[in-house]
Structures are given as structure tokens and as C-alpha cells.
Amino acid sequence: MVSKHKIEMVLTWYQRGYDIQLIAHHLGLDPRAVQDILRQAAQAATRPAPPAGKPAPPEFSDRPLWEGERP
């Protein structure tokens, strides 16, 4: 598991043009872990934003939460 701080460092250094191998070496990570971090960041950037405004109300059921008579 990679800490949030290291993830931020990977993203920052990659945006500045550092090589994946160099980033992995300096942070003590496996190059595949660095590639996974970059892949996940790219996927998160392409996801659509949640709709603005209020969220949809929850769905309710007519089924009672208890069985039997009320006390």
C-alpha cells in the first residue's frame, strides 16, 4: 500500500517530466506500482463529474420493519 503523500509525489513528479524508473527509484517503489498510480489517476480524470444539486431521494418501501403486533 502506497501512502497518499507518495501518490501525490508520483503525480507531481510525473507532471514535471520525471521518468517512471527515476520516480520509482527515489520513492522506493516498484515501477509497476508507479504505473498503476498513474493509470488510476488517468481513469479518475476521465470519469464524469457527479451531477450538481441535490442528490436523488432514497427509495422507500411499504414493507414494515417489524413483524407482529405493535406494543
Side-chain angles (χ1 to χ4, degrees):
M1 172 117 184
V2 180
S3 70
K4 184 176 180 182
H5 180 68
K6 283 190 177 183
I7 291 172
E8 291 172 358
M9 290 175 70
V10 167
L11 297 175
T12 302
W13 290 357
Y14 188 73
Q15 288 174 350
R16 291 181 182 172
Y18 288 90
D19 184 40
I20 292 175
Q21 297 292 331
L22 184 66
I23 295 170
H25 175 73
H26 283 292
L27 295 178
L29 298 172
D30 186 20
R32 291 177 292 183
V34 174
Q35 290 174 342
D36 288 342
I37 292 169
L38 296 173
R39 186 179 309 113
Q40 289 173 2
Q43 289 175 351
T46 58
R47 287 187 201 135
K54 287 185 169 181
E59 294 182 19
F60 291 98
S61 173
D62 293 334
R63 186 175 181 173
L65 297 176
W66 61 89
E67 296 293 328
E69 298 180 17
R70 289 181 132 175

